[in-house]
Amino acid sequence: MNAHSPVFLLKLALCLYAAGIGSALLAVRRDKLANLLGFGSATVAALCGIWAAILALTASAADQVASFTLWPSFVPYIELKVRFDALGAFFVLIVSVLALALSVYAFGYVRGFYGRKSVGVLAAFYNALLLATTLVFTASNAFFFLIAWEIMALTAYCLVSFEHEQAEARNAGVLYFVMSHAGTGCLILGFLLLFQTSHNYDFASFRALGAALSPGTRNAAFILFLLGFGVKAGIVPLHVWLPVAHPVAPSNISALLSGVLIKTGIYGLTRVLFDFLSPVPNWWGVTVLTIGTISAVLGVLYALMEHDLKRLLAYHSIENIGIILMGLGAALMFLHTHHPVLATLALIAGLYHTINHAIFKALLFLGAGAVLHSAHTRNMEEMGGLIKRMPKTAFCFLVGAVAISALPPLNGFISEWLTYQSLLQGFRSTESLVRLMFPLSGAMLALTGALAAACFVKAFGITFLAQPRSEHAAKAHEASPTMVGGMGILVAACAFLGLFPTTFLQLFDPLTAQLTGQTLSAQLSLHGAVFPVLRNAQDLEAVSSTYVPSGSVSTLGLAFVGVGLVVSLLLVLKLVWSRKTKVTAGPTWDCGSKGLTPQMEYTATGFSKPIRMIFKALFRPHREVQREYDYSPYFARTLHFESHIEEAFVARLYRPLNRRILRWSLRIRGLQAGSIQAYLIYIFITLVLLLIFAL
Amino acid sequence: MNSPELFIHIVLLLGLAPLVSGCIRNWKAKLQNRRGPPVWQPYLDLEKFFRKDMVISENASWLFRAVPFVLFSSTILAGLLVPLISVAAPLSMFGGVLALVGLLALGRFFLALGGLDPGSAFGGMGSSREMTLSAIAEPALMLAVFTVAIGARSTDLSQMLMAAQGPTWKLFNPAHVLAFAALFIVLLAETGRIPVDNPATHLELTMIHEAMILEYSGRYLALIEWSASIKQLVLMALLVNIFFPVGIAPIQSSAGALGFSLACLLAKLMALGAAVVLVETTNAKLRLFRVPDLLSAAFILAALALLSTFLFQ
């Protein structure tokens, strides 16, 4: 077989992941060997995966879609069929890039588990998760897809509760398990609904359904898939498991969960909505856009209230899923109004943000992991001053923070820019009042972006700057070279996707050709490698009179001029003033007291206090102050302060639901009496009912 | 983009910014029956700061030293996207109004980190408030910008200006009046003016911008102060040029036309500056938690502007 065919490389990657599982389990008693074998084969597999995906996404249309059967199956309807099309290849690219960085990082990171936890088991589950996720993205049969989906969910469960000595990890694992399976239930129902019409579980048959599906079935399927994939993606209000489960896993696994696993939900939605269920009614797009907007704003608001570094990052995943869904929702609305070019633009915006989020979120989780590794706490209030103790990690985290805050010139800016552009175009694409949604979502996206920037000033500033707030933080040390290397790969990816978007946009062509029948990379990069420009007036008018020039941006140009400005500024300062002035180091102004202590620094909770006050109708913060004093409350002897926030969805929705389910279960429990006679009666009654039914 | 144009633009940004700040300060004093500092005082201040020695906090890291440079160059970059005297801004191809907002946010992000770095409570307080208020101002800003961009069919500022000069543009279009009002409130918030922040205060509990830069001295302080006034100039120029596109020279004009355009720009900036002075003098600084009300009023104005685009087009 040709070594340069994407399918061969994909098979190689799958085999290497499988070899990773096997070898790590064989070497389970020897931690060092298991580390080397398990993560080593994952590294090579990831390289193969990247190569395969890039080949598949740059191939010409003729030889593009290749499918093969993984294993012959003797059960009707179930075929283990893999089809490596452009959409799947794009997501395989995401998982492989992350797998590469995370595996390199893991070499150093898992050393912390030596002698304490089994590295072999961790590496085996890690490889299994990557294998299952790759199969989810390439499976071409509903049954096979669900099998891969379940393996993925179960291995993720095992990894979430990997440190099962801690009650927190166990509880998080169970919550994840329950929510995930409720979602899978919806998916099974959804696929069964489609099967009713197609009489086949092959994805090709779903694709051929088209208008054969009745509107009722179509809408029911949409709701089921939205719920099923929405749980996995972590959309509000189905997100409650996410900020609980992601932080407790080992940090490289958290990165994988937040970077890739929730993207399987996005993959599923894209596959089902754009590939199977088109044409789409308008309310689907409206629903997805609304859910996206709500998830984005609520995700970032709850993130701001966190002072647990990893939970904060997990809430930001909800926010970013929201931003991705804004792009997808807008694309659906454009498809409904027959604007394929705009739909393509919005789809690209959403998917570009998908890969961007995967990369910078993984980078931030790895940074948080390095901090956790050396400061032994996830609580930001006990950190501080780490920029001097772990400068490389601090730099990597800063890059991730700038990228996630959608600041130029990094990648987050590009995808949010594309999202803004597609939302702006939306206003002119339709005549109905619905179009007011586009600019309003845009305004909410602006709020989200600015709040995210505030949140990452807090996350970076409190964690890395000023004086250390605890002894552990004061004794922190730099992460090992492989950990820094893993983060470095992602830093480079952030810079590449930010500075050279037009190069990357070309990979979208086969994908959008498949889903919307349009290719846009030429229009989006009119001036070669520098400018992502939407085509100017004349060109776009030719396509349709409703499309308008929408502006251009060049992060590379901005970065170039910016660096030029900094350099000339440094030169001027050096030549004119530096020689005549001197620089001394002194203590920070302490208002004349006896020097500043870390206790006087601003805290993470204090930093977000204004936001907590402004949005107190949403947060309903619980606050308790107790003072003991002798003469007047203003001169307290001791002060006890307690403040916490409970998510409205947990308090209002999930807790009552939970209570109700328990109550019902208690009532039904009577049925399971334990006496064999009762069971025999049940069987008899069932038989009679079935007979009546059959007649 | 050609280099003389770029050079003139940078010189204008650097040269005009302290003048605008000085005028506002001087007129404010006059309106309050004080003599006030001369209008060129900010130039003297900058010169003085550049000559002074620097004291840098022992707690500060490399980031603290990098902040003035990032802030200064990102603010100038933002300024290069805004047309001042010619319809074509020098870096118009490199980004439109979205990039402008992004670059200002980049500068603010680093300035807020610079406030946290020395580990003083004032710095943290300033950073926290600055990031909060700018976040609340952002949706109003974006919505107002969207309204104008929808009218102009582009987010490119040069395109927006050309549309503003075009025949279909009406000055007293309700959408524009409302969007202008919204952006004016955002301008007050973004440049730290009363009623949001008081640029003249050093009172611990009320300052926002001043709290963040409390630990900076010498030439770093000069760079930060200069960036703050450039940012003010950029936002004011954006407002006057988009909403009152009178006298701006078209592409490739003669030196005379550019001179006339510069005079027009100065007149418009002075008028807007006078409006700011009037607001600053007739209002008291709002309590911090009253500011969101003001900014939500701006958001509602912007939303109404959008609605009227929908109704009256």
Side-chain angles (χ1 to χ4, degrees):
Chain A
M1 196 179 236
N2 182 4
H4 287 289
S5 90
V7 169
F8 172 75
L9 286 164
L10 179 70
K11 282 181 184 168
L12 193 62
L14 294 175
C15 291
L16 280 165
Y17 285 135
I21 305 175
S23 57
L25 284 180
L26 282 177
V28 75
R29 286 176 191 283
R30 301 179 57 189
D31 284 340
K32 268 188 194 171
L33 190 64
N35 181 3
L36 200 66
L37 287 175
F39 293 107
S41 69
T43 310
V44 184
L47 284 171
C48 292
I50 295 174
W51 195 5
I54 289 179
L55 280 181
L57 287 170
T58 48
S60 57
D63 54 17
Q64 197 193 54
V65 178
S67 59
F68 59 93
T69 307
L70 199 65
W71 208 271
S73 144
F74 306 103
V75 188
Y77 296 126
I78 304 179
E79 278 183 274
L80 303 186
K81 205 167 126 193
V82 170
R83 188 165 175 276
F84 199 39
D85 66 353
L87 180 61
F90 179 73
F91 280 88
V92 169
L93 179 67
I94 297 180
V95 66
S96 307
V97 170
L98 248 60
L100 176 66
L102 298 181
S103 307
V104 171
Y105 179 89
F107 288 127
Y109 181 74
V110 297
R111 273 189 226 151
F113 292 121
Y114 282 1
R116 194 160 64 83
K117 302 286 300 180
S118 168
V119 174
V121 172
L122 178 66
F125 276 127
Y126 172 81
N127 275 295
L129 182 59
L130 289 172
L131 177 68
T133 313
T134 310
L135 284 178
V136 162
F137 292 145
T138 50
S140 176
N141 177 292
F143 251 104
F144 183 33
F145 176 85
L146 287 171
I147 292 170
W149 185 265
E150 267 310 282
I151 297 175
M152 181 180 83
L154 291 175
T155 42
Y157 162 73
C158 296
L159 287 166
V160 165
S161 36
F162 181 67
E163 294 184 68
H164 54 81
E165 310 83 11
Q166 296 161 11
E168 194 191 2
R170 287 198 301 274
N171 294 338
V174 170
L175 178 64
Y176 167 70
F177 191 79
V178 171
M179 294 285 291
S180 171
H181 280 81
T184 311
C186 291
L187 292 187
I188 292 174
L189 285 178
F191 281 123
L192 284 175
L193 263 184
L194 295 186
F195 176 77
Q196 297 272 304
T197 319
S198 75
H199 304 294
N200 197 333
Y201 285 110
D202 199 306
F203 278 2
S205 68
F206 294 157
R207 203 167 293 132
L209 278 176
L213 225 54
S214 73
T217 322
R218 190 179 280 280
N219 287 336
F222 167 70
I223 292 172
L224 285 169
F225 283 122
L226 187 66
L227 288 175
F229 289 124
V231 168
K232 191 59 92 182
I235 61 174
V236 172
L238 306 174
H239 66 284
V240 284
W241 63 273
L242 197 153
V244 180
H246 284 188
V248 295
S251 293
N252 59 336
I253 303 300
S254 306
L256 195 60
L257 294 176
S258 257
V260 175
L261 235 70
I262 59 174
K263 304 298 168 9
T264 56
I266 298 295
Y267 165 77
L269 279 177
T270 316
R271 172 70 78 195
V272 166
L273 297 181
F274 289 87
D275 212 9
F276 298 167
L277 292 178
S278 59
V280 294
N282 202 26
W283 71 272
W284 293 10
V286 175
T287 311
V288 174
L289 183 60
T290 314
I291 289 177
T293 312
I294 294 174
S295 300
V297 175
L298 288 185
V300 72
L301 279 174
Y302 281 118
L304 266 160
M305 294 306 116
E306 278 303 329
H307 46 81
D308 174 330
L309 190 54
K310 285 177 81 176
R311 267 179 77 98
L312 179 146
L313 293 176
Y315 271 116
H316 272 286
S317 296
I318 298 168
E319 172 220 331
N320 281 285
I321 284 292
I323 296 173
I324 294 167
L325 287 181
M326 283 166 125
L328 295 187
L332 287 174
M333 289 169 79
F334 291 137
L335 276 184
H336 173 76
T337 51
H338 304 292
H339 291 286
V341 175
L342 290 183
T344 312
L345 177 68
L347 181 67
I348 289 178
L351 292 181
Y352 206 128
H353 200 73
T354 309
I355 187 164
N356 282 345
H357 174 247
I359 285 169
F360 53 62
K361 182 51 60 67
L363 173 59
L364 290 164
F365 262 119
L366 295 189
V371 168
L372 177 63
H373 202 58
S374 88
H376 303 288
T377 175
R378 295 194 331 228
N379 186 356
M380 284 161 55
E381 314 284 26
E382 293 170 25
M383 296 176 189
L386 296 178
I387 192 169
K388 290 182 179 157
R389 289 157 187 86
M390 11 189 2
K392 291 173 193 160
T393 307
F395 177 78
C396 295
F397 196 92
L398 182 64
V399 170
V402 171
I404 198 174
S405 308
L407 298 173
L410 294 177
N411 54 354
F413 174 72
I414 294 289
S415 46
E416 290 203 14
W417 189 86
L418 287 168
T419 311
Y420 277 125
Q421 289 295 354
S422 43
L423 290 175
L424 256 177
Q425 300 274 337
F427 192 78
R428 285 195 172 272
S429 73
T430 126
E431 287 305 311
S432 64
L433 202 64
V434 172
R435 65 179 172 166
L436 283 179
M437 275 193 68
F438 290 109
L440 286 176
S441 307
M444 288 304 113
L445 181 57
L447 177 66
T448 310
L451 287 173
C455 192
F456 276 92
V457 166
K458 170 179 121 170
F460 184 83
I462 304 292
T463 310
F464 289 97
L465 300 181
Q467 294 184 60
R469 294 175 177 78
S470 70
E471 233 170 86
H472 279 308
K475 284 186 200 145
H477 52 86
E478 182 60 279
S480 70
T482 50
M483 287 166 78
V484 175
M487 290 188 270
I489 293 172
L490 295 172
V491 167
C494 275
F496 173 76
L497 288 174
L499 292 174
F500 303 97
T502 49
T503 316
F504 186 71
L505 278 169
Q506 288 166 10
L507 296 186
F508 283 100
D509 278 349
L511 196 162
T512 54
Q514 180 193 344
L515 295 182
T516 62
Q518 300 283 330
T519 57
L520 268 193
S521 77
Q523 279 97 322
L524 284 171
S525 46
L526 206 56
H527 296 268
V530 192
F531 306 95
V533 190
L534 249 197
R535 227 179 228 200
N536 270 334
Q538 325 58 296
D539 306 325
L540 268 178
E541 295 294 331
V543 184
S544 156
S545 59
T546 47
Y547 304 139
V548 287
S550 71
S552 59
V553 73
S554 162
T555 37
L556 190 62
L558 290 175
F560 189 72
V561 180
V563 169
L565 282 171
V566 170
V567 170
S568 43
L569 189 62
L570 279 170
L571 278 178
V572 170
L573 284 183
K574 187 138 195 102
L575 290 177
V576 184
W577 280 290
S578 284
R579 276 185 226 148
K580 295 177 205 155
T581 61
K582 64 176 197 291
V583 182
T584 43
T588 302
W589 168 239
D590 53 10
C591 301
S593 68
K594 289 177 193 161
L596 287 180
T597 65
Q599 277 183 320
M600 298 174 191
E601 287 167 14
Y602 234 53
T603 58
T605 314
F607 191 92
S608 50
K609 170 102 186 183
I611 302 214
R612 191 157 59 241
M613 296 274 287
I614 291 168
F615 294 95
K616 63 171 180 275
L618 169 75
F619 293 127
R620 297 171 183 274
H622 171 84
R623 185 167 179 274
E624 202 182 304
V625 184
Q626 292 172 352
R627 338 168 177 252
E628 284 176 31
Y629 57 88
D630 296 328
Y631 313 104
S632 138
Y634 298 109
F635 298 96
R637 236 177 337 114
T638 62
L639 189 70
H640 172 87
F641 175 81
E642 198 183 299
S643 162
H644 66 90
I645 282 170
E646 191 176 42
E647 255 195 71
F649 292 105
V650 176
R652 304 278 174 77
L653 183 64
Y654 284 92
R655 189 147 317 130
L657 190 71
N658 193 11
R659 227 177 285 138
R660 202 154 298 170
I661 289 175
L662 277 182
R663 207 182 310 140
W664 289 338
S665 315
L666 276 179
R667 264 182 226 162
I668 302 173
R669 195 165 69 175
L671 283 178
Q672 201 178 10
S675 78
I676 200 137
Q677 289 91 334
Y679 293 160
L680 283 173
I681 287 185
Y682 298 154
I683 294 171
F684 180 70
I685 292 172
T686 314
L687 262 176
V688 170
L689 283 176
L690 281 176
L691 279 172
I692 293 170
F693 208 67
L695 288 172
Chain B
M1 173 188 73
N2 50 18
S3 33
E5 214 175 279
L6 186 68
F7 185 72
I8 294 174
H9 205 94
I10 293 183
V11 169
L12 273 179
L13 286 173
L14 294 178
L16 273 184
L19 180 69
V20 173
S21 304
C23 284
I24 290 180
R25 229 188 281 174
N26 179 275
W27 297 346
K28 197 171 143 190
K30 291 266 160 59
L31 207 59
Q32 294 168 348
N33 268 338
R34 292 183 285 126
R35 194 188 294 153
V39 288
W40 55 84
Q41 186 63 42
Y43 297 101
L44 302 178
D45 286 347
L46 286 180
E47 204 270 325
K48 181 183 71 187
F49 290 148
F50 274 117
R51 267 190 297 113
K52 290 273 184 187
D53 292 344
M54 282 198 291
V55 181
I56 289 183
S57 164
E58 286 153 354
N59 299 339
S61 61
W62 61 266
L63 194 73
F64 186 78
R65 293 155 185 268
V67 165
F69 295 97
V70 175
L71 176 68
F72 193 75
S73 40
S74 67
T75 314
I76 297 223
L77 268 182
L80 290 174
L81 303 176
V82 178
L84 288 179
I85 53 171
S86 160
V87 163
L91 295 189
S92 172
M93 282 301 270
F94 286 180
V97 68
L98 298 173
L100 172 89
V101 173
L103 285 168
L104 291 179
L106 179 72
R108 188 191 304 127
F109 184 87
F110 276 89
L111 186 60
L113 287 180
L116 282 168
D117 203 14
S120 115
F122 295 133
M125 187 173 68
S127 301
S128 156
R129 290 177 178 180
E130 171 86 5
M131 294 315 285
T132 305
L133 292 185
S134 65
I136 308 292
E138 196 90 345
L141 171 67
M142 271 302 182
L143 205 56
V145 162
F146 271 14
T147 309
V148 184
I150 283 168
R153 302 181 149 218
S154 176
T155 56
D156 186 298
L157 284 162
S158 294
Q159 295 275 354
M160 282 160 99
L161 247 174
M162 280 189 236
Q165 289 179 325
T168 54
W169 190 268
K170 279 175 277 176
L171 182 61
F172 290 108
N173 181 335
H176 286 131
V177 176
L178 290 165
F180 179 81
L183 278 180
F184 185 72
I185 297 177
V186 172
L187 171 80
L188 292 177
E190 288 278 328
T191 53
R193 293 274 157 201
I194 291 176
V196 176
D197 187 10
N198 187 350
T201 188
H202 275 98
L203 189 66
E204 289 88 342
L205 297 178
T206 59
M207 57 186 174
I208 300 176
H209 178 78
E210 292 296 327
M212 271 194 297
I213 64 175
L214 209 56
E215 285 300 315
Y216 280 100
S217 55
R219 54 180 183 274
Y220 288 170
L221 181 63
L223 286 180
I224 290 176
E225 290 289 6
W226 210 349
S227 320
S229 59
I230 293 172
K231 178 181 172 188
Q232 172 176 292
L233 171 69
V234 168
L235 287 174
M236 285 172 72
L238 179 75
L239 226 67
V240 292
N241 276 353
I242 296 277
F243 290 98
F244 306 101
V246 190
I248 301 164
I251 303 170
Q252 288 169 341
S253 308
S254 61
L258 287 178
F260 173 70
S261 176
L262 178 62
C264 285
L265 176 71
L266 280 177
K268 286 185 286 187
L269 284 176
M270 297 300 143
L272 187 62
V276 170
V277 167
L278 212 60
V279 171
E280 281 216 287
T281 315
T282 50
N283 283 284
K285 189 185 167 304
L286 287 174
R287 260 181 64 216
L288 184 66
F289 291 105
R290 288 268 163 242
V291 176
D293 296 347
L294 179 72
L295 292 172
S296 21
F299 180 76
I300 298 205
L301 284 173
L304 287 175
L306 183 76
L307 201 65
S308 59
T309 330
F310 182 70
L311 294 174
F312 301 114
Q313 64 175 326

